[in-house]
Amino acid sequence: MVKKLVILKDITKTYQTGKVSYQVLKGINLEVEKGEFLAIMGASGSGKTTLLNIIGLLDKPTSGSYILDGEEVSKLSKQELAYIRNRKLGFIFQAFHLIPWATALENVLMPLLYRKEGISKKDEERAKKLLERLGLGDRIKAKPAELSGGQQQRVAIARALIGKPKLLLADEPTGNLDSKSSEEVIKIFRELNQEGITIIMVTHDPEIAKYAKRIKIIKDGNFIEK
């Protein structure tokens, strides 16, 4: 049984603009065990979002090795990465990325549309239960514009959970929320982690980061010791 869910070895990322190259990540090493709640902190431009995008298979490293759930994924094709991403990962962003014309329930079910199996009655019931658990049982037919920022983020959390991911990735998940909504969302994260879901969260806010079990600080493309 794989105990370490994420293993990054000497991960680099360089972007090329014309003749100019810019190295964003400079040999990142990281291991995350199943059931961890890790916060990655860093200033703007430190490389934390680029790192999260690589962990989330949204971007590829320039060099290095990435083993996810026992499988080397750094050299896989876009189609293979999309397949794994849809089945093993859940994403929560600062901008909620909800579809404006879809209801809360439809937004939660959206990731399952990309699976060939289609959406079953069981899936719909699971989506409704997720929304109920997150305090939105009476808002399943509401469109995003009819929901508060905190409610929209809870819809996004339910959407991230519908595929039963092994790893939940959150990029500044409280960045667009007021302090009360931020606290509610981060408490949901703690509950999910206590139930065994592995979470990696990027944040610049030390008050939010302290809810995690472990904090790593990134600066100028690499981790530094606290």
Side-chain angles (χ1 to χ4, degrees):
M1 183 178 179
V2 179
K3 191 174 183 183
K4 289 183 172 60
L5 189 59
V6 170
I7 301 174
L8 302 178
K9 296 179 181 177
D10 299 319
I11 293 290
T12 71
K13 182 64 181 181
T14 301
Y15 291 104
Q16 192 82 26
T17 307
K19 295 181 179 179
V20 179
S21 62
Y22 177 61
Q23 191 174 29
V24 181
L25 300 179
K26 303 171 182 176
I28 290 282
N29 291 287
L30 177 66
E31 294 185 354
V32 180
E33 293 192 0
K34 289 183 177 179
E36 267 208 80
F37 185 177
L38 170 67
I40 298 174
M41 291 190 67
S44 179
S46 61
K48 61 185 187 298
T49 296
T50 299
L51 175 59
L52 197 72
N53 286 343
I54 287 173
I55 294 172
L57 307 181
L58 296 170
D59 201 353
K60 282 188 172 187
T62 302
S63 65
S65 169
Y66 175 16
I67 298 169
L68 173 63
D69 198 27
E71 180 179 5
E72 172 62 68
V73 295
S74 56
K75 304 294 190 296
L76 296 180
S77 68
K78 286 184 179 180
Q79 290 80 5
E80 290 168 326
L81 292 175
Y83 181 88
I84 295 171
R85 192 165 57 238
N86 185 258
R87 283 158 175 76
K88 292 192 176 183
L89 305 176
F91 296 88
I92 301 163
F93 302 98
Q94 179 175 346
F96 316 123
H97 294 308
L98 300 180
I99 296 170
W101 49 260
T103 65
L105 181 62
E106 289 166 341
N107 267 288
V108 172
L109 289 167
M110 202 60 65
L112 301 184
L113 287 176
Y114 296 98
R115 299 185 180 184
K116 292 180 180 178
E117 303 96 290
I119 295 173
S120 66
K121 284 287 184 185
K122 191 175 179 181
D123 292 328
E124 287 188 16
E125 287 304 311
R126 174 171 161 74
K128 287 177 183 177
K129 285 180 181 177
L130 281 170
L131 288 168
E132 285 170 7
R133 177 186 172 175
L134 296 171
L136 296 171
D138 60 342
R139 307 293 283 151
I140 63 172
K141 293 183 179 179
K143 305 280 179 68
E146 300 167 321
L147 300 171
S148 69
Q151 289 174 327
Q152 288 185 60
Q153 192 59 299
R154 281 184 270 161
V155 172
I157 292 170
R159 180 185 59 192
L161 294 172
I162 190 66
K164 300 180 181 179
K166 293 194 172 186
L167 176 61
L168 197 60
L169 299 169
D171 189 1
E172 299 282 5
T174 61
N176 284 337
L177 304 179
D178 58 43
S179 56
K180 184 175 183 294
S181 296
S182 294
E183 191 173 328
E184 290 172 356
V185 164
I186 205 68
K187 283 182 177 177
I188 291 168
F189 280 15
R190 287 194 75 174
E191 288 175 10
L192 293 170
N193 179 245
Q194 286 165 1
E195 292 167 16
I197 292 180
T198 309
I199 301 173
I200 299 177
M201 174 179 68
V202 159
T203 183
H204 69 278
D205 188 343
E207 289 300 307
I208 295 299
K210 72 181 184 183
Y211 284 89
K213 292 177 180 176
R214 181 163 66 115
I215 299 173
K216 296 279 286 183
I217 298 173
I218 189 169
K219 182 179 180 182
D220 298 329
N222 218 331
F223 289 123
I224 60 173
E225 296 301 320
K226 290 175 67 178

